[in-house]
């Protein structure tokens, strides 16, 4: 066994390493949440990752995004993430797609090729489309709800979208999915009330989106290995 995954195998078992190395996961959105998801999946031994994002690193990302450094400003997030992941596991396969996911370009991605879909994008329209396509192709999907203006990284939990409360983004998505008769959607959300802000755009902290990203990655790994905890 590759020594890199020795400590992982001590928890999950040696067979788990082989299983994870054969799995293909797509991550939509390589920002505060999605960047930590991709990193954790690579360190867990996922063999194939597809990264979808059209944004470049900005200075305002440095406070919370794992790929954001002064040396990476103005570089495409998927390119920076790809280079970083190859440095973690040179044997994995990484595909990048420089695009903002919209209903207009949904046909560019074949969901049936993946074992798991991670939604870490910001817009409701894109989330709905990602979830719809995953469901139509019978591929497991997990969607991240709001992480902005929050202080407590321990407040995040995993639940079906129908069981969520407090989170404004979850409320909107819950209604839209119900209108489309889409059920059994796993999400990560927090019941913490957003901090009161007066700025024109939301705030975010270093430890909040990262916590949500790690929680998503753990759920993906456990689901792929059929581990119930």
């Amino acid at each position: 066994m590759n020594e890199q995954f020795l400590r992982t195998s001590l928890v999950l078992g040696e067979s788990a390493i082989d299983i994870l190395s054969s799995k293909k996961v797509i991550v939509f959105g390589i920002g505060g949440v999605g960047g930590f998801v991709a990193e954790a999946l690579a360190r867990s031994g996922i063999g194939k990752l597809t990264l979808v994002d059209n944004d470049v690193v900005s200075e305002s990302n440095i406070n919370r995004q794992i790929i954001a450094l002064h040396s990476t400003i103005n570089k495409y997030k998927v390119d920076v993430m790809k280079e970083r992941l190859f440095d973690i596991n040179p044997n994995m396969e990484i595909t990048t797609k420089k695009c903002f996911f919209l209903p207009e370009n949904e046909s560019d991605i074949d969901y049936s090729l993946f074992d798991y879909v991670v939604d870490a994008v910001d817009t409701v329209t894109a989330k709905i489309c990602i979830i719809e396509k995953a469901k139509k192709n019978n591929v497991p999907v997990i969607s991240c709800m709001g992480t902005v203006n929050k202080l407590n990284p321990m407040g995040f939990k995993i639940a079906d979208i129908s069981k969520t409360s407090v989170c404004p983004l979850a409320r909107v998505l819950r209604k839209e999915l119900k209108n489309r008769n889409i059920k059994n959607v796993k999400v990560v959300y927090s019941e913490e009330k957003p901090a009161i802000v007066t700025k024109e755009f939301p705030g975010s902290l270093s430890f909040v989106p990262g916590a949500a990203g790690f929680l998503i990655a753990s759920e993906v790994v456990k689901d792929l290995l059929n581990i119930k905890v």
Side-chain angles (χ1 to χ4, degrees):
M1 176 189 296
N2 188 334
E3 187 176 354
Q4 175 174 340
F5 300 111
L6 174 61
R7 299 299 182 94
T8 304
S9 69
L10 294 176
V11 178
L12 301 177
E14 290 189 17
S15 62
I17 306 304
D18 292 332
I19 293 172
L20 293 176
S21 68
S22 69
K23 298 301 182 181
K24 187 172 185 179
V25 179
I26 185 168
V27 181
F28 290 93
I30 310 300
V33 175
F36 281 94
V37 173
E39 170 118 351
L41 291 178
R43 291 186 184 276
S44 298
I46 294 295
K48 301 176 182 179
L49 275 177
T50 295
L51 313 173
V52 183
D53 200 310
N54 196 46
D55 203 4
V56 296
V57 177
S58 67
E59 188 172 359
S60 65
N61 297 151
I62 293 176
N63 81 313
R64 69 195 184 282
Q65 298 189 16
I66 197 165
I67 54 171
L69 306 167
H70 283 95
S71 61
T72 62
I73 290 175
N74 293 326
K75 295 181 180 179
Y76 280 101
K77 292 181 179 179
V78 292
D79 290 342
V80 178
M81 191 83 251
K82 180 179 181 178
E83 182 178 356
R84 181 179 176 89
L85 297 185
F86 271 143
D87 204 12
I88 293 171
N89 182 5
N91 296 316
M92 67 187 306
E93 296 180 21
I94 303 172
T95 302
T96 61
K97 293 184 179 293
K98 294 186 178 75
C99 70
F100 284 122
F101 188 80
L102 298 169
E104 299 91 270
N105 57 24
E106 64 176 14
S107 60
D108 293 345
I109 297 172
D110 184 354
Y111 285 69
S112 66
L113 299 176
F114 299 97
D115 299 294
Y116 217 108
V117 174
V118 175
D119 157 37
V121 300
D122 296 327
T123 65
V124 174
T125 301
K127 286 181 176 295
I128 293 170
C129 189
I130 291 169
I131 293 169
E132 279 186 319
K133 295 290 286 186
K135 286 290 184 180
K136 287 181 180 178
N137 286 274
N138 295 314
V139 181
V141 57
I142 187 167
S143 180
C144 187
M145 300 295 98
T147 64
V148 298
N149 297 332
K150 295 185 184 295
L151 291 166
N152 182 15
M154 296 179 66
F156 289 99
K157 61 180 71 175
I158 296 172
D160 187 88
I161 185 66
S162 65
K163 305 297 183 182
T164 58
S165 62
V166 181
C167 176
L169 178 57
R171 184 183 307 118
V172 174
L173 186 64
R174 186 171 63 241
K175 179 181 179 181
E176 293 296 329
L177 293 178
K178 183 177 181 180
N179 290 341
R180 292 166 173 76
N181 197 33
I182 298 175
K183 302 177 181 179
N184 302 319
V185 176
K186 186 178 293 187
V187 302
V188 170
Y189 83 107
S190 172
E191 294 178 358
E192 177 189 0
K193 294 183 179 179
I196 298 175
V197 293
T198 58
K199 302 293 183 180
E200 295 180 357
F201 48 86
S204 187
L205 299 171
S206 61
F207 41 79
V208 174
F214 282 138
L215 189 56
I216 290 172
S218 73
E219 194 70 7
V220 171
V221 169
K222 288 185 291 185
D223 283 349
L224 291 175
L225 296 175
N226 196 29
I227 295 175
K228 307 298 182 184
V229 178

